[in-house]
Amino acid sequence: MSISLPFQSGQLVVVVLREPRERVWGRLLGLEGAGVAIRGVDLHPWEEILSLVRRGESDQVSLSTRFIPMHRLETLYLDEPSSGVPSLEEDFRRRTGQEAQAFLG
């Protein structure tokens, strides 16, 4: 029996990886048994990313398109508000004045 997944191409997601542990935020390009394709940024320097975008220096952000093999995937979740905490997309828009989808292009 297969289950229906809520993940669709184009949605904003957060991917938590293992070995080494990383968190990536971005636009989902594809999801299959072999892995996940995503266009996004490492969340470690989130404050720096927001600062660069606010200053109009988006070209300095290390935005990348990546394929992540399934064996590295620990968790994949939709970027959505939870328990009163805004989504990263909402935080990005509020703090930079830009739309996340346009930034992640």
Side-chain angles (χ1 to χ4, degrees):
M1 179 173 107
S2 67
I3 60 171
S4 133
L5 296 176
F7 303 102
Q8 303 295 319
S9 291
Q11 289 179 308
L12 296 181
V13 296
V14 176
V15 180
V16 179
L17 306 173
R18 62 176 154 240
E19 300 172 21
R21 187 156 174 88
E22 298 175 73
R23 286 182 9 157
V24 179
W25 171 70
R27 187 167 48 90
L28 182 65
L29 302 176
L31 172 63
E32 58 183 49
V36 175
I38 187 170
R39 173 130 178 101
V41 294
D42 185 331
L43 280 174
H44 180 70
W46 182 245
E47 294 299 324
E48 183 178 340
I49 290 167
L50 295 175
S51 179
L52 287 167
V53 173
R54 266 195 311 270
R55 291 193 314 255
E57 299 175 8
S58 296
D59 60 325
Q60 301 297 312
V61 176
S62 62
L63 186 61
S64 64
T65 302
R66 300 170 60 175
F67 177 79
I68 301 162
M70 199 56 79
H71 74 273
R72 287 214 49 223
L73 190 89
E74 184 173 306
T75 306
L76 170 68
Y77 57 92
L78 292 175
D79 179 23
E80 54 191 359
S82 177
S83 302
V85 176
S87 67
L88 290 172
E89 177 183 20
E90 292 168 337
D91 188 43
F92 182 87
R93 184 182 328 108
R94 181 179 56 81
R95 295 172 66 185
T96 67
Q98 294 188 28
E99 292 298 320
Q101 288 284 6
F103 168 73
L104 294 167

